[in-house]
PDB file of all heavy atoms in Angstrom:
ATOM      1  N   ASP Y   1      97.274  94.304 102.152  1.00  0.00           N
ATOM      2  CA  ASP Y   1      98.681  94.607 101.855  1.00  0.00           C
ATOM      3  C   ASP Y   1      99.274  93.674 100.799  1.00  0.00           C
ATOM      4  O   ASP Y   1     100.039  94.085  99.922  1.00  0.00           O
ATOM      5  CB  ASP Y   1      99.551  94.512 103.122  1.00  0.00           C
ATOM      6  CG  ASP Y   1      99.251  95.703 104.013  1.00  0.00           C
ATOM      7  OD1 ASP Y   1      98.858  96.800 103.535  1.00  0.00           O
ATOM      8  OD2 ASP Y   1      99.540  95.567 105.279  1.00  0.00           O
ATOM      9  N   TYR Y   2      98.920  92.381 100.910  1.00  0.00           N
ATOM     10  CA  TYR Y   2      99.425  91.383  99.885  1.00  0.00           C
ATOM     11  C   TYR Y   2      98.972  91.802  98.487  1.00  0.00           C
ATOM     12  O   TYR Y   2      99.761  91.832  97.555  1.00  0.00           O
ATOM     13  CB  TYR Y   2      98.887  89.993 100.262  1.00  0.00           C
ATOM     14  CG  TYR Y   2      99.169  88.950  99.217  1.00  0.00           C
ATOM     15  CD1 TYR Y   2     100.488  88.493  98.988  1.00  0.00           C
ATOM     16  CD2 TYR Y   2      98.112  88.442  98.459  1.00  0.00           C
ATOM     17  CE1 TYR Y   2     100.684  87.530  97.995  1.00  0.00           C
ATOM     18  CE2 TYR Y   2      98.395  87.483  97.475  1.00  0.00           C
ATOM     19  CZ  TYR Y   2      99.632  87.038  97.268  1.00  0.00           C
ATOM     20  OH  TYR Y   2      99.862  86.084  96.285  1.00  0.00           O
ATOM     21  N   HIS Y   3      97.682  92.099  98.336  1.00  0.00           N
ATOM     22  CA  HIS Y   3      97.136  92.387  97.008  1.00  0.00           C
ATOM     23  C   HIS Y   3      97.701  93.760  96.532  1.00  0.00           C
ATOM     24  O   HIS Y   3      98.039  93.920  95.282  1.00  0.00           O
ATOM     25  CB  HIS Y   3      95.647  92.383  96.946  1.00  0.00           C
ATOM     26  CG  HIS Y   3      95.133  90.984  97.101  1.00  0.00           C
ATOM     27  ND1 HIS Y   3      95.284  90.025  96.193  1.00  0.00           N
ATOM     28  CD2 HIS Y   3      94.458  90.405  98.123  1.00  0.00           C
ATOM     29  CE1 HIS Y   3      94.802  88.813  96.602  1.00  0.00           C
ATOM     30  NE2 HIS Y   3      94.234  89.077  97.746  1.00  0.00           N
ATOM     31  N   ARG Y   4      97.873  94.741  97.373  1.00  0.00           N
ATOM     32  CA  ARG Y   4      98.431  96.027  96.990  1.00  0.00           C
ATOM     33  C   ARG Y   4      99.865  95.852  96.538  1.00  0.00           C
ATOM     34  O   ARG Y   4     100.264  96.372  95.471  1.00  0.00           O
ATOM     35  CB  ARG Y   4      98.356  97.058  98.097  1.00  0.00           C
ATOM     36  CG  ARG Y   4      98.985  98.403  97.726  1.00  0.00           C
ATOM     37  CD  ARG Y   4      99.251  99.322  98.986  1.00  0.00           C
ATOM     38  NE  ARG Y   4     100.100  98.650  99.958  1.00  0.00           N
ATOM     39  CZ  ARG Y   4     101.374  98.454  99.888  1.00  0.00           C
ATOM     40  NH1 ARG Y   4     102.035  98.842  98.810  1.00  0.00           N
ATOM     41  NH2 ARG Y   4     102.038  97.877 100.828  1.00  0.00           N
ATOM     42  N   MET Y   5     100.635  95.103  97.254  1.00  0.00           N
ATOM     43  CA  MET Y   5     102.023  94.847  96.922  1.00  0.00           C
ATOM     44  C   MET Y   5     102.133  94.062  95.645  1.00  0.00           C
ATOM     45  O   MET Y   5     103.008  94.378  94.793  1.00  0.00           O
ATOM     46  CB  MET Y   5     102.746  94.172  98.058  1.00  0.00           C
ATOM     47  CG  MET Y   5     102.881  95.033  99.279  1.00  0.00           C
ATOM     48  SD  MET Y   5     103.521  94.185 100.789  1.00  0.00           S
ATOM     49  CE  MET Y   5     105.241  93.870 100.282  1.00  0.00           C
ATOM     50  N   LYS Y   6     101.287  93.051  95.457  1.00  0.00           N
ATOM     51  CA  LYS Y   6     101.341  92.273  94.267  1.00  0.00           C
ATOM     52  C   LYS Y   6     101.028  93.118  93.047  1.00  0.00           C
ATOM     53  O   LYS Y   6     101.696  93.056  91.995  1.00  0.00           O
ATOM     54  CB  LYS Y   6     100.360  91.129  94.387  1.00  0.00           C
ATOM     55  CG  LYS Y   6     100.525  90.079  93.305  1.00  0.00           C
ATOM     56  CD  LYS Y   6      99.735  88.791  93.632  1.00  0.00           C
ATOM     57  CE  LYS Y   6     100.029  87.710  92.665  1.00  0.00           C
ATOM     58  NZ  LYS Y   6      99.366  86.453  93.033  1.00  0.00           N
ATOM     59  N   ALA Y   7     100.023  94.007  93.135  1.00  0.00           N
ATOM     60  CA  ALA Y   7      99.667  94.885  92.044  1.00  0.00           C
ATOM     61  C   ALA Y   7     100.793  95.899  91.735  1.00  0.00           C
ATOM     62  O   ALA Y   7     100.929  96.324  90.584  1.00  0.00           O
ATOM     63  CB  ALA Y   7      98.374  95.636  92.400  1.00  0.00           C
ATOM     64  N   ALA Y   8     101.549  96.226  92.758  1.00  0.00           N
ATOM     65  CA  ALA Y   8     102.680  97.168  92.595  1.00  0.00           C
ATOM     66  C   ALA Y   8     103.965  96.544  91.987  1.00  0.00           C
ATOM     67  O   ALA Y   8     104.885  97.208  91.692  1.00  0.00           O
ATOM     68  CB  ALA Y   8     103.009  97.857  93.910  1.00  0.00           C
ATOM     69  N   GLY Y   9     103.901  95.175  91.868  1.00  0.00           N
ATOM     70  CA  GLY Y   9     105.030  94.493  91.195  1.00  0.00           C
ATOM     71  C   GLY Y   9     105.934  93.780  92.164  1.00  0.00           C
ATOM     72  O   GLY Y   9     107.031  93.306  91.730  1.00  0.00           O
ATOM     73  N   VAL Y  10     105.595  93.597  93.387  1.00  0.00           N
ATOM     74  CA  VAL Y  10     106.448  92.862  94.336  1.00  0.00           C
ATOM     75  C   VAL Y  10     106.548  91.413  93.878  1.00  0.00           C
ATOM     76  O   VAL Y  10     105.484  90.783  93.460  1.00  0.00           O
ATOM     77  CB  VAL Y  10     105.932  92.922  95.774  1.00  0.00           C
ATOM     78  CG1 VAL Y  10     106.674  91.965  96.690  1.00  0.00           C
ATOM     79  CG2 VAL Y  10     106.043  94.361  96.305  1.00  0.00           C
ATOM     80  N   ARG Y  11     107.695  90.833  93.877  1.00  0.00           N
ATOM     81  CA  ARG Y  11     107.925  89.460  93.489  1.00  0.00           C
ATOM     82  C   ARG Y  11     107.744  88.510  94.721  1.00  0.00           C
ATOM     83  O   ARG Y  11     108.594  88.534  95.636  1.00  0.00           O
ATOM     84  CB  ARG Y  11     109.306  89.226  92.892  1.00  0.00           C
ATOM     85  CG  ARG Y  11     109.561  87.763  92.492  1.00  0.00           C
ATOM     86  CD  ARG Y  11     110.927  87.672  91.754  1.00  0.00           C
ATOM     87  NE  ARG Y  11     111.039  86.289  91.339  1.00  0.00           N
ATOM     88  CZ  ARG Y  11     111.958  85.488  91.837  1.00  0.00           C
ATOM     89  NH1 ARG Y  11     112.860  85.940  92.695  1.00  0.00           N
ATOM     90  NH2 ARG Y  11     112.015  84.254  91.470  1.00  0.00           N
ATOM     91  N   PHE Y  12     106.633  87.801  94.730  1.00  0.00           N
ATOM     92  CA  PHE Y  12     106.342  86.820  95.818  1.00  0.00           C
ATOM     93  C   PHE Y  12     106.975  85.493  95.373  1.00  0.00           C
ATOM     94  O   PHE Y  12     106.800  85.091  94.187  1.00  0.00           O
ATOM     95  CB  PHE Y  12     104.904  86.722  96.132  1.00  0.00           C
ATOM     96  CG  PHE Y  12     104.369  87.989  96.816  1.00  0.00           C
ATOM     97  CD1 PHE Y  12     103.836  89.092  96.108  1.00  0.00           C
ATOM     98  CD2 PHE Y  12     104.440  88.088  98.195  1.00  0.00           C
ATOM     99  CE1 PHE Y  12     103.388  90.189  96.763  1.00  0.00           C
ATOM    100  CE2 PHE Y  12     104.000  89.218  98.911  1.00  0.00           C
ATOM    101  CZ  PHE Y  12     103.453  90.261  98.172  1.00  0.00           C
ATOM    102  N   LEU Y  13     107.562  84.818  96.306  1.00  0.00           N
ATOM    103  CA  LEU Y  13     108.212  83.514  96.048  1.00  0.00           C
ATOM    104  C   LEU Y  13     107.303  82.338  96.311  1.00  0.00           C
ATOM    105  O   LEU Y  13     107.722  81.207  96.044  1.00  0.00           O
ATOM    106  CB  LEU Y  13     109.483  83.414  96.862  1.00  0.00           C
ATOM    107  CG  LEU Y  13     110.469  84.539  96.698  1.00  0.00           C
ATOM    108  CD1 LEU Y  13     111.716  84.361  97.541  1.00  0.00           C
ATOM    109  CD2 LEU Y  13     110.866  84.690  95.193  1.00  0.00           C
ATOM    110  N   GLU Y  14     106.128  82.586  96.802  1.00  0.00           N
ATOM    111  CA  GLU Y  14     105.188  81.537  97.174  1.00  0.00           C
ATOM    112  C   GLU Y  14     103.775  82.080  97.289  1.00  0.00           C
ATOM    113  O   GLU Y  14     103.639  83.301  97.187  1.00  0.00           O
ATOM    114  CB  GLU Y  14     105.590  80.832  98.516  1.00  0.00           C
ATOM    115  CG  GLU Y  14     105.530  81.854  99.628  1.00  0.00           C
ATOM    116  CD  GLU Y  14     106.057  81.270 100.976  1.00  0.00           C
ATOM    117  OE1 GLU Y  14     106.555  80.149 100.985  1.00  0.00           O
ATOM    118  OE2 GLU Y  14     105.890  81.914 101.971  1.00  0.00           O
ATOM    119  N   GLU Y  15     102.823  81.232  97.483  1.00  0.00           N
ATOM    120  CA  GLU Y  15     101.498  81.654  97.799  1.00  0.00           C
ATOM    121  C   GLU Y  15     101.404  81.856  99.302  1.00  0.00           C
ATOM    122  O   GLU Y  15     102.095  81.208 100.073  1.00  0.00           O
ATOM    123  CB  GLU Y  15     100.471  80.612  97.322  1.00  0.00           C
ATOM    124  CG  GLU Y  15     100.348  80.435  95.842  1.00  0.00           C
ATOM    125  CD  GLU Y  15      99.962  81.749  95.153  1.00  0.00           C
ATOM    126  OE1 GLU Y  15      99.026  82.398  95.648  1.00  0.00           O
ATOM    127  OE2 GLU Y  15     100.556  82.087  94.113  1.00  0.00           O
ATOM    128  N   PRO Y  16     100.498  82.767  99.746  1.00  0.00           N
ATOM    129  CA  PRO Y  16     100.318  82.922 101.200  1.00  0.00           C
ATOM    130  C   PRO Y  16      99.955  81.624 101.842  1.00  0.00           C
ATOM    131  O   PRO Y  16      99.300  80.769 101.254  1.00  0.00           O
ATOM    132  CB  PRO Y  16      99.158  83.923 101.299  1.00  0.00           C
ATOM    133  CG  PRO Y  16      99.217  84.638 100.038  1.00  0.00           C
ATOM    134  CD  PRO Y  16      99.686  83.674  98.973  1.00  0.00           C
ATOM    135  N   ARG Y  17     100.471  81.465 103.081  1.00  0.00           N
ATOM    136  CA  ARG Y  17     100.196  80.240 103.799  1.00  0.00           C
ATOM    137  C   ARG Y  17      99.829  80.487 105.247  1.00  0.00           C
ATOM    138  O   ARG Y  17     100.231  81.620 105.825  1.00  0.00           O
ATOM    139  CB  ARG Y  17     101.393  79.281 103.719  1.00  0.00           C
ATOM    140  CG  ARG Y  17     102.620  79.764 104.401  1.00  0.00           C
ATOM    141  CD  ARG Y  17     103.816  78.823 104.205  1.00  0.00           C
ATOM    142  NE  ARG Y  17     104.939  79.106 105.025  1.00  0.00           N
ATOM    143  CZ  ARG Y  17     105.787  80.109 104.870  1.00  0.00           C
ATOM    144  NH1 ARG Y  17     105.685  80.943 103.827  1.00  0.00           N
ATOM    145  NH2 ARG Y  17     106.783  80.320 105.712  1.00  0.00           N
ATOM    146  N   GLU Y  18      99.149  79.590 105.888  1.00  0.00           N
ATOM    147  CA  GLU Y  18      98.789  79.713 107.296  1.00  0.00           C
ATOM    148  C   GLU Y  18      99.800  78.925 108.120  1.00  0.00           C
ATOM    149  O   GLU Y  18      99.982  77.719 107.909  1.00  0.00           O
ATOM    150  CB  GLU Y  18      97.391  79.204 107.542  1.00  0.00           C
ATOM    151  CG  GLU Y  18      96.306  80.027 106.842  1.00  0.00           C
ATOM    152  CD  GLU Y  18      96.199  81.443 107.385  1.00  0.00           C
ATOM    153  OE1 GLU Y  18      96.394  81.659 108.592  1.00  0.00           O
ATOM    154  OE2 GLU Y  18      95.911  82.324 106.560  1.00  0.00           O
ATOM    155  N   GLU Y  19     100.404  79.569 109.080  1.00  0.00           N
ATOM    156  CA  GLU Y  19     101.274  78.927 110.073  1.00  0.00           C
ATOM    157  C   GLU Y  19     100.667  79.044 111.452  1.00  0.00           C
ATOM    158  O   GLU Y  19      99.708  79.854 111.587  1.00  0.00           O
ATOM    159  CB  GLU Y  19     102.689  79.547 110.020  1.00  0.00           C
ATOM    160  CG  GLU Y  19     103.471  79.444 108.719  1.00  0.00           C
ATOM    161  CD  GLU Y  19     103.891  77.983 108.467  1.00  0.00           C
ATOM    162  OE1 GLU Y  19     103.898  77.148 109.392  1.00  0.00           O
ATOM    163  OE2 GLU Y  19     104.333  77.726 107.264  1.00  0.00           O
ATOM    164  N   VAL Y  20     101.175  78.374 112.415  1.00  0.00           N
ATOM    165  CA  VAL Y  20     100.534  78.462 113.761  1.00  0.00           C
ATOM    166  C   VAL Y  20     100.738  79.838 114.368  1.00  0.00           C
ATOM    167  O   VAL Y  20      99.926  80.289 115.172  1.00  0.00           O
ATOM    168  CB  VAL Y  20     101.157  77.437 114.711  1.00  0.00           C
ATOM    169  CG1 VAL Y  20     100.741  76.030 114.293  1.00  0.00           C
ATOM    170  CG2 VAL Y  20     102.638  77.583 114.847  1.00  0.00           C
ATOM    171  N   TYR Y  21     101.712  80.576 113.922  1.00  0.00           N
ATOM    172  CA  TYR Y  21     102.013  81.963 114.455  1.00  0.00           C
ATOM    173  C   TYR Y  21     101.495  83.114 113.595  1.00  0.00           C
ATOM    174  O   TYR Y  21     101.317  84.227 114.119  1.00  0.00           O
ATOM    175  CB  TYR Y  21     103.581  82.089 114.638  1.00  0.00           C
ATOM    176  CG  TYR Y  21     104.319  81.976 113.329  1.00  0.00           C
ATOM    177  CD1 TYR Y  21     104.595  83.060 112.518  1.00  0.00           C
ATOM    178  CD2 TYR Y  21     104.765  80.711 112.892  1.00  0.00           C
ATOM    179  CE1 TYR Y  21     105.303  82.991 111.337  1.00  0.00           C
ATOM    180  CE2 TYR Y  21     105.444  80.570 111.672  1.00  0.00           C
ATOM    181  CZ  TYR Y  21     105.683  81.681 110.929  1.00  0.00           C
ATOM    182  OH  TYR Y  21     106.360  81.565 109.726  1.00  0.00           O
ATOM    183  N   ALA Y  22     101.201  82.831 112.339  1.00  0.00           N
ATOM    184  CA  ALA Y  22     100.806  83.966 111.479  1.00  0.00           C
ATOM    185  C   ALA Y  22     100.353  83.463 110.085  1.00  0.00           C
ATOM    186  O   ALA Y  22     100.607  82.338 109.645  1.00  0.00           O
ATOM    187  CB  ALA Y  22     101.965  84.889 111.275  1.00  0.00           C
ATOM    188  N   THR Y  23      99.649  84.380 109.400  1.00  0.00           N
ATOM    189  CA  THR Y  23      99.529  84.192 107.941  1.00  0.00           C
ATOM    190  C   THR Y  23     100.735  84.872 107.305  1.00  0.00           C
ATOM    191  O   THR Y  23     101.154  85.929 107.718  1.00  0.00           O
ATOM    192  CB  THR Y  23      98.270  85.004 107.405  1.00  0.00           C
ATOM    193  OG1 THR Y  23      97.111  84.496 108.139  1.00  0.00           O
ATOM    194  CG2 THR Y  23      98.032  84.830 105.966  1.00  0.00           C
ATOM    195  N   VAL Y  24     101.413  84.148 106.383  1.00  0.00           N
ATOM    196  CA  VAL Y  24     102.743  84.600 105.925  1.00  0.00           C
ATOM    197  C   VAL Y  24     102.952  84.288 104.485  1.00  0.00           C
ATOM    198  O   VAL Y  24     102.418  83.347 103.941  1.00  0.00           O
ATOM    199  CB  VAL Y  24     103.848  83.925 106.835  1.00  0.00           C
ATOM    200  CG1 VAL Y  24     103.815  82.492 106.633  1.00  0.00           C
ATOM    201  CG2 VAL Y  24     105.180  84.504 106.536  1.00  0.00           C
ATOM    202  N   VAL Y  25     103.787  85.143 103.819  1.00  0.00           N
ATOM    203  CA  VAL Y  25     104.230  84.933 102.499  1.00  0.00           C
ATOM    204  C   VAL Y  25     105.621  85.512 102.372  1.00  0.00           C
ATOM    205  O   VAL Y  25     105.835  86.580 102.965  1.00  0.00           O
ATOM    206  CB  VAL Y  25     103.190  85.514 101.473  1.00  0.00           C
ATOM    207  CG1 VAL Y  25     103.159  87.032 101.546  1.00  0.00           C
ATOM    208  CG2 VAL Y  25     103.548  85.057 100.090  1.00  0.00           C
ATOM    209  N   VAL Y  26     106.524  84.875 101.579  1.00  0.00           N
ATOM    210  CA  VAL Y  26     107.812  85.431 101.367  1.00  0.00           C
ATOM    211  C   VAL Y  26     107.865  86.140 100.082  1.00  0.00           C
ATOM    212  O   VAL Y  26     107.335  85.759  99.054  1.00  0.00           O
ATOM    213  CB  VAL Y  26     108.851  84.211 101.338  1.00  0.00           C
ATOM    214  CG1 VAL Y  26     110.250  84.720 101.052  1.00  0.00           C
ATOM    215  CG2 VAL Y  26     108.796  83.402 102.610  1.00  0.00           C
ATOM    216  N   PHE Y  27     108.566  87.339 100.117  1.00  0.00           N
ATOM    217  CA  PHE Y  27     108.791  88.131  98.903  1.00  0.00           C
ATOM    218  C   PHE Y  27     110.179  88.623  98.882  1.00  0.00           C
ATOM    219  O   PHE Y  27     110.913  88.591  99.895  1.00  0.00           O
ATOM    220  CB  PHE Y  27     107.737  89.336  98.863  1.00  0.00           C
ATOM    221  CG  PHE Y  27     107.949  90.411  99.861  1.00  0.00           C
ATOM    222  CD1 PHE Y  27     108.706  91.542  99.567  1.00  0.00           C
ATOM    223  CD2 PHE Y  27     107.291  90.286 101.080  1.00  0.00           C
ATOM    224  CE1 PHE Y  27     108.811  92.576 100.499  1.00  0.00           C
ATOM    225  CE2 PHE Y  27     107.447  91.379 102.029  1.00  0.00           C
ATOM    226  CZ  PHE Y  27     108.216  92.488 101.701  1.00  0.00           C
ATOM    227  N   GLU Y  28     110.594  89.124  97.738  1.00  0.00           N
ATOM    228  CA  GLU Y  28     111.932  89.704  97.535  1.00  0.00           C
ATOM    229  C   GLU Y  28     111.831  91.172  97.289  1.00  0.00           C
ATOM    230  O   GLU Y  28     110.905  91.646  96.611  1.00  0.00           O
ATOM    231  CB  GLU Y  28     112.674  89.047  96.396  1.00  0.00           C
ATOM    232  CG  GLU Y  28     113.148  87.675  96.595  1.00  0.00           C
ATOM    233  CD  GLU Y  28     113.903  87.096  95.454  1.00  0.00           C
ATOM    234  OE1 GLU Y  28     113.818  87.585  94.315  1.00  0.00           O
ATOM    235  OE2 GLU Y  28     114.631  86.103  95.696  1.00  0.00           O
ATOM    236  N   ASP Y  29     112.816  91.920  97.831  1.00  0.00           N
ATOM    237  CA  ASP Y  29     112.887  93.350  97.531  1.00  0.00           C
ATOM    238  C   ASP Y  29     113.610  93.514  96.175  1.00  0.00           C
ATOM    239  O   ASP Y  29     113.961  92.560  95.542  1.00  0.00           O
ATOM    240  CB  ASP Y  29     113.534  94.129  98.637  1.00  0.00           C
ATOM    241  CG  ASP Y  29     114.959  93.859  98.931  1.00  0.00           C
ATOM    242  OD1 ASP Y  29     115.640  93.286  98.066  1.00  0.00           O
ATOM    243  OD2 ASP Y  29     115.463  94.247 100.022  1.00  0.00           O
ATOM    244  N   LEU Y  30     113.843  94.725  95.795  1.00  0.00           N
ATOM    245  CA  LEU Y  30     114.443  95.022  94.533  1.00  0.00           C
ATOM    246  C   LEU Y  30     115.806  94.443  94.342  1.00  0.00           C
ATOM    247  O   LEU Y  30     116.304  94.240  93.169  1.00  0.00           O
ATOM    248  CB  LEU Y  30     114.471  96.525  94.213  1.00  0.00           C
ATOM    249  CG  LEU Y  30     115.524  97.379  94.878  1.00  0.00           C
ATOM    250  CD1 LEU Y  30     115.690  98.685  94.163  1.00  0.00           C
ATOM    251  CD2 LEU Y  30     115.190  97.604  96.377  1.00  0.00           C
ATOM    252  N   TYR Y  31     116.533  94.162  95.413  1.00  0.00           N
ATOM    253  CA  TYR Y  31     117.872  93.608  95.356  1.00  0.00           C
ATOM    254  C   TYR Y  31     117.961  92.039  95.535  1.00  0.00           C
ATOM    255  O   TYR Y  31     118.962  91.451  95.398  1.00  0.00           O
ATOM    256  CB  TYR Y  31     118.778  94.244  96.349  1.00  0.00           C
ATOM    257  CG  TYR Y  31     118.964  95.741  96.029  1.00  0.00           C
ATOM    258  CD1 TYR Y  31     118.457  96.705  96.997  1.00  0.00           C
ATOM    259  CD2 TYR Y  31     119.540  96.176  94.930  1.00  0.00           C
ATOM    260  CE1 TYR Y  31     118.574  98.032  96.696  1.00  0.00           C
ATOM    261  CE2 TYR Y  31     119.659  97.570  94.623  1.00  0.00           C
ATOM    262  CZ  TYR Y  31     119.174  98.456  95.559  1.00  0.00           C
ATOM    263  OH  TYR Y  31     119.311  99.774  95.326  1.00  0.00           O
ATOM    264  N   GLY Y  32     116.832  91.482  95.949  1.00  0.00           N
ATOM    265  CA  GLY Y  32     116.718  90.071  96.190  1.00  0.00           C
ATOM    266  C   GLY Y  32     116.775  89.644  97.649  1.00  0.00           C
ATOM    267  O   GLY Y  32     116.738  88.420  97.980  1.00  0.00           O
ATOM    268  N   ASN Y  33     116.814  90.630  98.576  1.00  0.00           N
ATOM    269  CA  ASN Y  33     116.668  90.226 100.026  1.00  0.00           C
ATOM    270  C   ASN Y  33     115.313  89.651 100.234  1.00  0.00           C
ATOM    271  O   ASN Y  33     114.315  90.159  99.695  1.00  0.00           O
ATOM    272  CB  ASN Y  33     116.790  91.528 100.912  1.00  0.00           C
ATOM    273  CG  ASN Y  33     118.233  92.097 100.875  1.00  0.00           C
ATOM    274  OD1 ASN Y  33     119.198  91.408 101.248  1.00  0.00           O
ATOM    275  ND2 ASN Y  33     118.337  93.336 100.378  1.00  0.00           N
ATOM    276  N   ARG Y  34     115.229  88.636 101.013  1.00  0.00           N
ATOM    277  CA  ARG Y  34     113.938  87.956 101.246  1.00  0.00           C
ATOM    278  C   ARG Y  34     113.363  88.577 102.570  1.00  0.00           C
ATOM    279  O   ARG Y  34     114.007  88.808 103.551  1.00  0.00           O
ATOM    280  CB  ARG Y  34     114.160  86.504 101.458  1.00  0.00           C
ATOM    281  CG  ARG Y  34     114.522  85.802 100.131  1.00  0.00           C
ATOM    282  CD  ARG Y  34     114.693  84.383 100.244  1.00  0.00           C
ATOM    283  NE  ARG Y  34     114.875  83.837  98.897  1.00  0.00           N
ATOM    284  CZ  ARG Y  34     114.798  82.612  98.568  1.00  0.00           C
ATOM    285  NH1 ARG Y  34     114.395  81.741  99.437  1.00  0.00           N
ATOM    286  NH2 ARG Y  34     115.042  82.236  97.292  1.00  0.00           N
ATOM    287  N   TRP Y  35     112.056  88.772 102.457  1.00  0.00           N
ATOM    288  CA  TRP Y  35     111.218  89.309 103.511  1.00  0.00           C
ATOM    289  C   TRP Y  35     110.060  88.373 103.740  1.00  0.00           C
ATOM    290  O   TRP Y  35     109.570  87.697 102.848  1.00  0.00           O
ATOM    291  CB  TRP Y  35     110.591  90.596 103.073  1.00  0.00           C
ATOM    292  CG  TRP Y  35     111.483  91.817 102.892  1.00  0.00           C
ATOM    293  CD1 TRP Y  35     112.500  91.974 102.000  1.00  0.00           C
ATOM    294  CD2 TRP Y  35     111.399  93.024 103.541  1.00  0.00           C
ATOM    295  NE1 TRP Y  35     113.044  93.198 102.110  1.00  0.00           N
ATOM    296  CE2 TRP Y  35     112.324  93.911 103.019  1.00  0.00           C
ATOM    297  CE3 TRP Y  35     110.513  93.520 104.551  1.00  0.00           C
ATOM    298  CZ2 TRP Y  35     112.510  95.215 103.487  1.00  0.00           C
ATOM    299  CZ3 TRP Y  35     110.681  94.815 104.979  1.00  0.00           C
ATOM    300  CH2 TRP Y  35     111.663  95.631 104.445  1.00  0.00           C
ATOM    301  N   ASP Y  36     109.479  88.377 104.982  1.00  0.00           N
ATOM    302  CA  ASP Y  36     108.183  87.783 105.233  1.00  0.00           C
ATOM    303  C   ASP Y  36     107.200  88.972 105.355  1.00  0.00           C
ATOM    304  O   ASP Y  36     107.479  89.913 106.100  1.00  0.00           O
ATOM    305  CB  ASP Y  36     108.199  87.065 106.545  1.00  0.00           C
ATOM    306  CG  ASP Y  36     108.540  85.568 106.444  1.00  0.00           C
ATOM    307  OD1 ASP Y  36     108.811  85.153 105.326  1.00  0.00           O
ATOM    308  OD2 ASP Y  36     108.599  84.937 107.478  1.00  0.00           O
ATOM    309  N   LEU Y  37     106.103  88.864 104.703  1.00  0.00           N
ATOM    310  CA  LEU Y  37     104.896  89.687 105.007  1.00  0.00           C
ATOM    311  C   LEU Y  37     104.105  88.772 105.924  1.00  0.00           C
ATOM    312  O   LEU Y  37     103.754  87.696 105.543  1.00  0.00           O
ATOM    313  CB  LEU Y  37     104.169  90.136 103.796  1.00  0.00           C
ATOM    314  CG  LEU Y  37     102.771  90.831 104.020  1.00  0.00           C
ATOM    315  CD1 LEU Y  37     103.032  92.136 104.693  1.00  0.00           C
ATOM    316  CD2 LEU Y  37     102.018  90.973 102.718  1.00  0.00           C
TER     317      LEU Y  37
END
């Protein structure tokens, strides 16, 4: 999903990281709302 979204032009604000609860990365939607994948 990360690579598909990146290829589609999603703006990621960081590199993927490992947390105790999940593998996670922050991205913005077309308006600038922040999401976690």
Side-chain angles (χ1 to χ4, degrees):
D1 287 337
Y2 171 72
H3 290 295
R4 179 194 54 76
M5 292 171 71
K6 192 169 187 175
V10 170
R11 181 172 180 249
F12 288 93
L13 303 180
E14 62 185 7
E15 292 300 314
R17 65 185 192 282
E18 295 295 325
E19 297 290 347
V20 295
Y21 60 92
T23 303
V24 63
V25 66
V26 178
F27 69 94
E28 287 184 340
D29 68 16
L30 76 162
Y31 298 114
N33 292 300
R34 291 183 177 196
W35 292 62
D36 270 359
L37 173 65

